[in-house]
């Protein structure tokens, strides 16, 4: 019944469906019209989310036709921010299974269990432990909607065919005692094991996934910060794997920086960058900027010297004894300080990036101090949800006299200041990972490396029109996302071929091939 009223008279007769469907035979467009009516009548986005997920189970074509009819409107419902609410209440709003649910007690049998998935040609797995979901912390099995929603964006934003996508929640347990005590919780009611045991579980999973689905690309999403960093390092040279929270985030932040510097007419290699927050997002962005600066001719040491990190313990400098392996390369000879304004005075950053999870951290003093030594400060308060943003775009524009170039982690409304209207950008990872997915599908690379994400960042930045740049927009418009991502995927695929990483023969017309791979909803 997956086509519903779109079954033709002939199909109804041959499939024994006569009398089981209303008389009218409808087109997909007519069905979308009805769905839009249903969605319009729902009282809020969480109800729309539930409706759309039910639709994706009963009629995938109609689901994608609806979402792709207006991605800018529906992506925030299918994914962030609405999905956060769905995660919080997952055990309570659960209707039916989607994707796969593996748990640590299946460790010796992952291969056997994965063979239960009915599709044999799986190209992408998105796997989450639920260990650090959006801004919600460890919510264990309540994070199950995340890989589902994330993979739906591959299709909705870049046209990656949905048949080859497999969302998996890998349940290693949760530290969240309140959830473990919830009668309707759907996961293991256990604490997660030590990191060594987590690694052994994920090793077994990766081995099984590659045995059952040879050449599969595994996208890690929303794992606890330490697990995320460690597992990416562990697998990046062994399997086709990447981590969106680290590499996707870094790439989209870099895309915003590249556009901002194009607007300023400045080179990345000449910037001084201060990060407020040195967790997985902060160090991930910093590492990718180092790679991008090396591409502009700096040595690794010179690039790292241009970047400073500031975390809950203050400015990261050589005297700090509490630094992890990702932070140590950014410990320079700074004067110790626990005051962010002091750090800004010392470092005189041209770019300030907030990934601290602390709302309001960019005070008026911080922003004004920065604006005193920098003509057009680049200020990215990326923490989310909204109340965690380090400052609002309005504050950033106001405190810099409209000079700041601003991108945030969540959408903010336009700001009008002294008769000028500004459009703060949203550094949304969805500009990047679906395009990477499409490029991976087209080229089947030996591995996925940071250079691909840097190319994706540059390609995304290059697609912001001059008219939009004039309004301070740092990312392409969302209503044309499919075309944008195809262009980005084409550039990434070209670079994969050029660097000899593809395992398929070089294509004569990469763009045409990417388009031919692309899924278009239809019966
Ligand atoms: P995390 O918890 O790993 O790191 C947070 C960091 O902030 C830590 O280094 C901590 O020491 C520091 N911090 C805490 N309080 C501070 C304070 N008062 N002053 C300075 N630093 C302080 O978190 P993660 O994963 O790195 O994410 C950070 C934020 O970035 C989150 O809010 C997340 O939503 C946001 N983010 C945004 C993305 C986007 O816009 N595309 C993508 C990924 C993350």
């Amino acid at each position: 019944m997956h086509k519903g009223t779109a079954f033709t008279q002939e199909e109804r007769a041959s499939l024994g469906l006569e009398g089981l469907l209303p008389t009218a035979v409808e087109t997909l467009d007519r069905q979308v019209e009805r769905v839009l009516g249903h969605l319009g009548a729902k009282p809020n986005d969480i109800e729309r989310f539930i409706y759309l997920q039910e639709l994706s189970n009963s009629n995938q074509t109609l689901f994608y036709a609806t979402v792709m009819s207006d991605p800018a409107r529906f992506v925030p419902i299918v994914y962030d921010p609405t999905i956060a609410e769905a995660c919080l209440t997952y055990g309570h709003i659960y209707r039916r299974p989607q994707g796969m649910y593996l748990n640590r007690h299946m460790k010796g049998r992952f291969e056997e269990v994965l063979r239960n998935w009915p599709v044999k040609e799986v190209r992408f797995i998105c796997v989450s432990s639920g260990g650090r979901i959006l801004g919600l912390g460890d919510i264990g099995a309540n994070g199950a909607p995340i890989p589902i929603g994330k993979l739906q964006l591959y299709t909705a934003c870049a046209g990656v065919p949905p048949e080859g996508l497999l969302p998996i929640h890998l349940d290693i347990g949760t530290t969240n005692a309140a959830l473990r005590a919830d009668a309707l919780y759907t996961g293991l009611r256990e604490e997660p094991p030590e990191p060594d045991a987590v690694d052994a579980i994920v090793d077994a999973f990766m081995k099984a996934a590659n045995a059952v689905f040879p050449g599969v690309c595994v996208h890690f999403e929303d794992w606890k910060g330490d697990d995320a960093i460690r597992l990416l390092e562990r697998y990046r040279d062994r399997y086709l794997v990447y981590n969106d929270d680290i590499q996707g985030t870094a790439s989209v932040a870099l895309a915003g920086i590249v556009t901002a510097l194009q607007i300023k007419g400045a080179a990345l290699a000449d910037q001084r960058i201060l990060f407020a927050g040195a967790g997985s997002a902060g160090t991930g962005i910093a590492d990718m900027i180092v790679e991008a600066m090396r591409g502009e001719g700096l040595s690794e040491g010179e690039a790292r010297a241009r970047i400073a990190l500031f975390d809950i313990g203050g400015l990261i400098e050589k005297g700090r004894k509490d630094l992890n392996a990702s932070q140590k390369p950014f410990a320079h000879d700074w004067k110790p300080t626990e005051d962010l304004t002091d750090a800004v005075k010392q470092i005189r950053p041209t770019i300030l990036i907030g990934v601290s999870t602390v709302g309001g951290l960019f005070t008026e003093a911080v922003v004004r101090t920065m604006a005193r030594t920098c003509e057009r400060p680049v200020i990215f308060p990326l923490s989310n949800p909204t109340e965690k943003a380090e400052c609002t775009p309005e504050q950033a524009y106001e405190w810099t006299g409209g000079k700041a170039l601003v991108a945030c982690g969540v959408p903010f409304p336009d700001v009008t200041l002294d008769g000028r209207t500004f459009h703060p950008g949203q550094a949304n990872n969805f500009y990047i990972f679906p395009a990477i997915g499409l490029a991976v599908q087209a080229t089947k690379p030996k591995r996925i490396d940071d250079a691909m994400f840097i190319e994706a960042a540059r390609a995304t930045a290059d697609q912001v029109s001059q008219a939009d740049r004039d309004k301070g927009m740092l990312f392409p418009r969302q209503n044309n996302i499919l075309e944008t991502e195809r262009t980005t995927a084409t550039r990434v695929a070209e670079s994969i071929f050029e660097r000899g990483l593809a395992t398929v023969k070089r294509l004569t017309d990469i763009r045409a091939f990417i388009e031919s791979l692309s899924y278009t909803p239809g019966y």
Side-chain angles (χ1 to χ4, degrees), residues 132 134-135 225 245 249 252 276-282 310-314 327 354-358 361 382-385 388 390 408-410 427-429:
R132 199 236 54 178
L134 307 167
D245 305 295
T249 297
V252 78
S280 54
F310 182 101
D311 74 354
I312 194 159
Q327 297 164 333
V355 272
S356 66
T357 71
V358 181
L361 185 67
L382 293 183
S383 287
N384 55 64
K388 291 192 176 167
E390 283 77 4
C408 305
V410 290
N428 194 322
N429 296 26

Side-chain angles (χ1 to χ4, degrees), residues 128-206:
S128 181
S129 65
R132 199 236 54 178
I133 296 289
L134 307 167
L136 308 172
D138 179 359
I139 56 166
N142 275 23
I146 291 289
I148 298 163
K150 204 86 193 193
L151 286 177
Q152 286 169 343
L153 299 197
Y154 274 72
T155 306
C157 298
V160 177
E163 303 78 40
L165 307 178
L166 170 54
I168 296 182
H169 176 248
L170 180 49
D171 196 342
I172 59 169
T174 178
T175 54
N176 192 322
L179 277 180
R180 292 198 311 261
D182 180 344
L184 292 181
Y185 181 63
T186 57
L188 286 179
R189 293 165 199 272
E190 296 168 13
E191 284 270 358
E194 293 299 310
D196 280 355
V198 172
D199 291 357
I201 296 163
V202 187
D203 280 356
F205 166 73
M206 290 299 288

Side-chain angles (χ1 to χ4, degrees), residues 58 169 197 205 254-255 510:
S58 61
H169 176 248
F205 166 73
L254 180 62
I510 298 173

Side-chain angles (χ1 to χ4, degrees), residues 371-395:
R372 270 202 285 279
T373 53
C374 177
E375 168 64 18
R376 293 212 70 185
V378 176
I379 300 179
F380 286 7
L382 293 183
S383 287
N384 55 64
T386 309
E387 62 276 11
K388 291 192 176 167
E390 283 77 4
C391 67
T392 64
E394 191 168 7
Q395 290 169 327

